[in-house]
């Protein structure tokens, strides 16, 4: 699946849901992958990976959410229900308070890299949807990355308080 999410608005979602026991066993026995699901999407995970794209997407969403919040916007509503022009996304990332993190990340450190991350990588994985005029919306799969970032913060806070 090359990192692609199956979201609730796709026919594959219903097929997976109706035959979930079969597909859980199939992916485990055939590939050693674990089929995970939420009420809104399915995805596969594997212990054998060395890709950094998931980390980079998590950083992307962390920064975008922070900047949307700083603008007084409810980032969960914005991500769930709004369209973003690619230039708007680029400006949020490039002008972020977290510029050191942005500059250190190869997928975020310049405009073209950000455009590739959103317009190619995230679209291919069904995390973003491209609309006309270089506008994008995010599928419900963004929630996985928000939850991941939230868990990292909790872990970091627990370690700091220990």
């Amino acid at each position: 699946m090359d990192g692609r999410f199956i979201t609730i608005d796709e026919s594959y979602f219903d097929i997976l849901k109706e035959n979930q026991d079969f597909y859980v066993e199939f992916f485990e026995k055939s590939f050693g992958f674990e089929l995970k699901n939420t009420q809104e999407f399915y995805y596969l995970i594997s212990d054998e990976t060395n890709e950094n794209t998931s980390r980079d997407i998590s950083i992307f969403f962390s920064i975008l959410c922070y900047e949307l919040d700083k603008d007084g916007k409810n980032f969960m509503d914005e991500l769930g229900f709004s369209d973003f022009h690619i230039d708007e996304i680029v400006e949020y990332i490039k002008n972020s308070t977290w510029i050191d993190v942005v500059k250190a990340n190869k997928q975020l450190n310049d405009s073209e890299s950000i455009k590739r991350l959103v317009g190619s990588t995230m679209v291919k994985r069904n995390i973003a949807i491209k609309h006309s005029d270089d506008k994008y919306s995010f599928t419900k799969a963004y929630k996985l990355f928000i939850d991941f970032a939230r868990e990292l913060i909790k872990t970091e806070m627990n370690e700091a308080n220990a």
Side-chain angles (χ1 to χ4, degrees):
M1 290 177 52
D2 202 24
R4 189 176 185 288
F5 288 77
I6 303 297
T7 57
I8 194 167
D9 54 345
E10 298 176 89
S11 60
Y12 294 125
F13 184 90
D14 293 330
I15 293 168
L16 282 170
K17 187 174 182 176
E18 290 169 13
N19 302 290
Q20 186 168 320
D21 291 340
F22 167 79
Y23 283 108
V24 166
E25 185 175 352
F26 170 78
F27 284 115
E28 174 62 35
K29 288 185 176 180
S30 299
F31 306 104
F33 295 165
E34 184 179 355
L35 179 66
K36 301 290 259 178
N37 72 298
T38 71
Q39 292 179 344
E40 298 170 306
F41 56 89
Y42 280 89
Y43 61 101
L44 295 170
I45 59 172
S46 169
D47 291 335
E48 296 182 26
T49 183
N50 59 3
E51 62 97 17
N52 293 319
T53 302
S54 294
R55 178 206 62 198
D56 294 342
I57 293 171
S58 294
I59 292 169
F60 166 86
F61 277 118
S62 297
I63 291 170
L64 183 60
C65 290
Y66 180 84
E67 297 304 324
L68 288 168
D69 186 63
K70 197 169 84 175
D71 265 2
K73 299 177 180 176
N74 180 320
F75 65 84
M76 292 299 282
D77 286 346
E78 293 291 316
L79 293 177
F81 304 109
S82 297
D83 290 347
F84 295 87
H85 191 279
I86 191 63
D87 293 337
E88 177 185 12
I89 294 170
V90 168
E91 287 305 307
Y92 273 124
I93 302 298
K94 284 178 56 178
N95 296 319
S96 175
T97 307
W98 297 96
I99 196 65
D100 293 341
V101 174
V102 170
K103 286 182 179 180
N105 187 295
K106 290 180 183 177
Q107 293 198 62
L108 299 175
N109 64 8
D110 63 59
S111 298
E112 291 308 310
S113 296
I114 297 166
K115 289 177 181 180
R116 250 188 329 275
L117 178 67
V118 175
S120 180
T121 304
M122 293 173 74
V123 167
K124 182 173 122 184
R125 292 178 181 219
N126 200 27
I127 300 166
I129 298 169
K130 185 175 194 243
H131 304 286
S132 61
D133 301 326
D134 283 333
K135 288 193 175 184
Y136 293 85
S137 61
F138 296 104
T139 68
K140 299 300 181 189
Y142 79 86
K143 292 179 179 182
L144 177 69
F145 299 96
I146 301 296
D147 290 345
F148 179 71
R150 193 176 289 141
E151 286 302 314
L152 282 176
I153 290 168
K154 282 182 190 175
T155 301
E156 198 169 290
M157 289 176 62
N158 288 339
E159 289 174 0
N161 292 331

